[in-house]
């Protein structure tokens, strides 16, 4: 089935693979087919082998699986027009069979005959013809000298050391493939596709041998298309689905297939290796309906990109006016959910390394009969420390999600700034402005129960949120810090915090990249790389707007108490309970100043800052072993250097004992 799918792709002779907009750039440079030389003599078409050479070249590009039938040919200087073309794609595969041959060798000198009959292994090629592709007209302008094409065709593998252009311009009009099957009907239509300076680059050092080597080295300076549409409908009454995928128009420049994935020689990998200098696409739409429960409608008004290739390099890309509408029967989720995105932009994105890992994991998953535990063996611990892609920056504007039950979510602006490197510790900044959430006052959907209850408790149904966070990897200091610079929920609170980890470095990430997540042992925990990881600093700050008052008021209403009386009792009792808990359960005597800071905030909620700054980083094994096995909990608590300040007051230590000169926590 997989090979059949790629034979169909190849069958349209690079027609259908240009339906989806996209483009790219690869690190490996390659020489493209030369542009037309206007001063050169125009080749005179119409020679007997011109059409044969052209069709055989196209057959080579498609993996040797096409059969051509031309209704009418028209020749004029510099132009060949084929009308009423039918391209019959086929699966072409070798079969090896034992064959009985009766062979006799005749010697003319003496008239004797020698019997050479016997059983031999014969390799033959069989073809299974698929549904035809019809093309109303194909125009070739300034086709390369047939003698040059013939020289290329004489090679079983693509070995050309210089670029070779097939034609200056190829225009296909009215391409169509219609399939009427037992399980599905489908129809693919392309109004027009234009290829300029289509041909072959000089053979890459890693060029695939055999027919697909020609596809690997195919290039074109420009590819443009209009009016592409794919429709399908399943014929199973139980799970009937119909759909349409269409694109208004698009263009790609400097197309090639030189990406890393193509080195395998697999047709799918070659297609994933496409790249181009720039491209755009307009009016991309998807409409899928299962007739009973769900209908999905998706559209993209405009897509513009520079230096993009498959799932690999994305130098710059931008999508505008992206819309999705999901309609359901409303049994589990709202009857209608609509998503709109005004703009999404991305720079310097490269998922090559991450995709390689993912493909390898999926392959092993399939080879092991879809055993879920395989993912535990193919997912490594570094996944939780690093990103699987390169990214310079990404941003979005005008995100709106609306549900028919009244729930809504929106983002005015959001951004992620790198640079981020795949599987490397990286620094980044994340910001979001104008994040809004609207919660309905009632809904018949069960999943909304907890959300509506929370909104009722807070006395708010509309929320506005802001976010500013960053991650900083400092190789020189051997630290990675995570900072929540600002997290604000308007009219409720503002919060922030910072966590600094010592020993979270690239050496640790590389070490964990070799260890599956299922492999957790004491040996791993006590390894030099992991045991060197420790908390160097931790802090959290909070500024209240109305959240504390709301919580106290709601709690008082439930208990039938006066809010002022409840706040007074909380500010008096909680600090005392906290002191008693640490004293009787952990033998830690709490400093009165620390308890007073708690009481001060509870009596008049304003702001507080809690800081943990241990005299030496606290490692994962700190709770297991001690430098001083007889160190008291009081001394250990003092070593953590925990302080609290409230409402502008001084920072108070958790314990009154002075800081020890040596850290009792093992590191």
């Amino acid at each position: 089935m997989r090979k059949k799918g790629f034979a169909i792709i190849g069958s349209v002779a690079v027609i259908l693979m240009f339906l989806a907009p996209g483009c790219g750039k690869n690190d490996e440079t390659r020489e493209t087919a030369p542009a037309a030389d206007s001063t050169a003599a125009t080749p005179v078409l119409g020679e007997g082998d011109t059409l044969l050479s052209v069709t055989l070249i196209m057959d080579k590009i498609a993996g040797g699986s096409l059969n051509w039938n031309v209704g009418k040919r028209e020749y004029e200087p510099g132009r060949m027009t084929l009308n009423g073309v039918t391209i019959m794609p086929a699966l072409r595969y070798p079969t090896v069979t034992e064959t009985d041959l009766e062979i006799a060798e005749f010697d003319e000198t003496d008239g004797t005959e020698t019997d050479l009959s016997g059983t031999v292994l014969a390799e033959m090629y069989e073809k299974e013809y698929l549904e035809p592709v019809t093309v109303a007209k194909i125009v070739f302008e300034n086709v390369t000298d047939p003698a040059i094409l013939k020289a290329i065709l004489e090679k079983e593998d693509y070995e050309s050391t210089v670029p070779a252009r097939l034609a200056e311009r190829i225009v296909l009009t009215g391409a169509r493939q219609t399939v009427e099957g037992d399980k599905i009907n489908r129809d693919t239509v392309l109004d027009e596709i234009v290829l300029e300076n289509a041909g072959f680059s000089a053979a890459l050092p890693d060029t695939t041998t055999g027919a697909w080597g020609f596809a690997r080295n195919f290039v074109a300076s420009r590819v443009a298309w209009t009016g592409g549409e794919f429709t399908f409908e399943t014929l199973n009454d139980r799970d009937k689905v119909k759909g349409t995928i269409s694109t208004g128009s698009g263009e790609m420049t400097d197309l090639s297939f030189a990406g890393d994935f193509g080195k395998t020689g697999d047709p799918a990998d070659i297609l994933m290796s496409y790249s181009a200098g720039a491209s755009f696409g307009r009016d991309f739409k998807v409409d899928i309906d299962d007739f009973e429960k769900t209908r999905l409608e998706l559209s993209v008004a405009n897509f513009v990109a520079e230096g993009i290739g498959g799932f690999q390099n994305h130098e710059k890309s931008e999508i505008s006016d992206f819309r999705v509408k999901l309609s359901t029967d409303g049994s589990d989720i709202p009857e209608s959910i609509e998503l709109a995105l005004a703009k999404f932009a991305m720079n310097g994105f490269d998922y090559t390394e991450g995709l390689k890992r993912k493909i390898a994991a999926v392959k092993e998953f399939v080879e092991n009969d879809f055993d879920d535990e395989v993912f535990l063996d193919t997912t490594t611990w570094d996944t939780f420390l690093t990103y699987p892609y390169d990214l310079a920056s990404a941003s979005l504007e005008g995100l709106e999600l609306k549900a028919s039950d009244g729930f809504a979510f929106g983002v005015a602006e959001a951004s992620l700034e790198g640079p981020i490197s795949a599987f490397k510790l990286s620094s980044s900044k994340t910001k979001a402005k104008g994040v809004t959430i609207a919660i309905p006052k009632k809904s018949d959907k069960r999943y909304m129960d907890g959300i509506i209850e929370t909104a009722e408790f807070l006395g708010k149904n509309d929320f506005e949120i802001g976010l500013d966070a960053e991650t900083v990897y400092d190789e020189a200091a051997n630290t990675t810090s995570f900072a929540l610079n600002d997290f604000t929920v308007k009219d409720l609170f503002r919060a922030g915090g910072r966590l600094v980890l010592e020993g979270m470095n690239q050496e640790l990430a590389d070490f964990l990249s070799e260890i599956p997540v299922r492999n957790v042992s004491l040996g791993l925990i006590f390894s030099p790389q992991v045991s060197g990881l420790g908390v160097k600093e931790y802090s959290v700050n909070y500024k209240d707007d109305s959240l504390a008052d709301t919580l106290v008021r709601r709690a008082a209403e439930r208990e039938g108490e006066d809010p002022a009386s409840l706040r007074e009792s909380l500010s008096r009792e909680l600090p005392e309970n906290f002191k008693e808990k640490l004293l009787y359960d952990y033998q830690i005597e709490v400093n009165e100043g620390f308890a007073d800071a708690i009481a001060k905030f509870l009596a008049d909620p304003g702001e507080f800052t809690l800081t943990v700054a241990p005299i030496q980083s606290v490692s994962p094994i700190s709770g297991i072993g001690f430098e001083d096995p007889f160190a008291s909990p009081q001394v250990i608590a003092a070593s953590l250097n925990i302080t609290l300040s409230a409402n502008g007051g001084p920072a108070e230590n958790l314990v009154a004992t002075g800081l020890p000169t040596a850290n009792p926590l093992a590191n």
Side-chain angles (χ1 to χ4, degrees), residues 3-5 7-8 65 89-93 126-130:
K3 291 183 177 179
K4 183 174 181 178
I8 293 175
S65 57
L91 290 173
R92 182 176 184 267
Y93 50 89
E126 295 185 1
K127 285 189 176 183
E128 175 190 349
Y129 287 99
L130 308 177

Side-chain angles (χ1 to χ4, degrees), residues 385-553:
L385 304 183
T386 60
Y387 293 93
Y389 51 78
D390 292 345
L391 179 67
S393 65
S395 63
L396 64 83
E397 298 176 9
L399 174 67
E400 295 182 357
L401 184 147
K402 296 180 180 180
S404 56
D405 63 355
F407 178 82
F409 174 80
V411 180
E413 298 178 24
S415 63
L416 174 62
E417 298 286 341
I420 293 170
S421 299
F423 304 109
K424 301 291 184 182
L425 289 179
S426 307
S427 299
S428 63
K429 295 181 179 181
T430 303
K431 294 183 179 181
K433 297 179 181 179
V435 179
T436 57
I437 301 175
I439 300 173
K441 293 184 178 181
K442 62 179 182 179
S443 174
D444 59 354
K445 302 298 181 290
R446 183 173 299 178
Y447 80 95
M448 289 293 296
D449 290 348
I451 299 175
I452 292 176
E453 184 178 341
T454 300
E456 289 178 348
F457 183 81
L458 295 175
K460 286 176 65 66
N461 291 87
D462 297 302
F463 300 85
E464 183 175 340
I465 301 170
L467 173 69
D468 184 347
E470 64 179 323
T471 300
V472 178
Y473 171 50
D474 190 333
E475 184 177 4
N478 192 33
T479 61
T480 298
S481 61
F482 305 90
L484 182 60
N485 299 323
D486 178 64
F487 180 72
T488 299
V489 181
K490 189 177 180 180
D491 299 328
L492 285 179
F493 68 88
R494 179 178 181 178
R498 176 179 166 86
L499 172 65
V500 180
L501 298 178
E502 188 172 42
M504 186 172 174
N505 50 34
Q506 193 57 48
E507 181 183 359
L508 174 64
D510 293 340
F511 171 72
L512 294 177
S513 69
E514 303 295 330
I515 302 176
V517 294
R518 71 158 62 242
N519 186 359
V520 180
S521 63
L522 289 178
L524 172 62
I525 295 174
F526 282 97
S527 65
Q529 293 86 350
V530 176
S531 62
L533 178 66
V535 177
K536 186 175 183 179
E537 178 187 334
Y538 172 76
S539 65
V540 58
N541 58 78
Y542 174 88
K543 184 176 182 179
D544 191 70
D545 197 336
S546 66
L547 179 60
D549 284 337
T550 300
L551 295 176
V552 171
R553 186 174 65 255

Side-chain angles (χ1 to χ4, degrees), residues 14 17-18 26 28-35 57-58 61 158 162-168 170 194-204 213-223 252-259 270 273-276:
V14 205
M17 65 182 173
F18 302 118
N26 294 279
E28 183 175 11
T29 59
R30 71 186 307 191
E31 191 176 2
T32 59
I57 284 287
M58 300 297 281
I61 298 172
Y158 185 75
V162 296
R165 193 184 67 200
L166 173 60
E168 179 182 341
I170 304 174
V194 179
L195 294 89
E196 296 181 359
N197 296 311
F200 303 97
S201 67
L204 295 167
F214 286 79
R216 172 91 164 114
N217 289 272
F218 180 81
V219 294
S221 65
R222 178 175 176 266
V223 180
M252 305 170 69
T253 61
D254 299 327
L255 174 71
S256 72
F257 297 87
I270 291 174
S273 293
Y274 83 90
S275 65

Side-chain angles (χ1 to χ4, degrees), residues 68 80-82 85 87 135-140 170-173:
W68 291 66
M80 176 175 68
T81 302
L82 310 180
V85 179
I87 305 172
V135 185
K137 182 168 66 175
I138 305 178
V139 177
F140 295 86
I170 304 174
V171 181
L172 297 90
T173 304

Side-chain angles (χ1 to χ4, degrees), residues 103 164 343 462:
I103 304 174
K343 178 182 175 182
D462 297 302

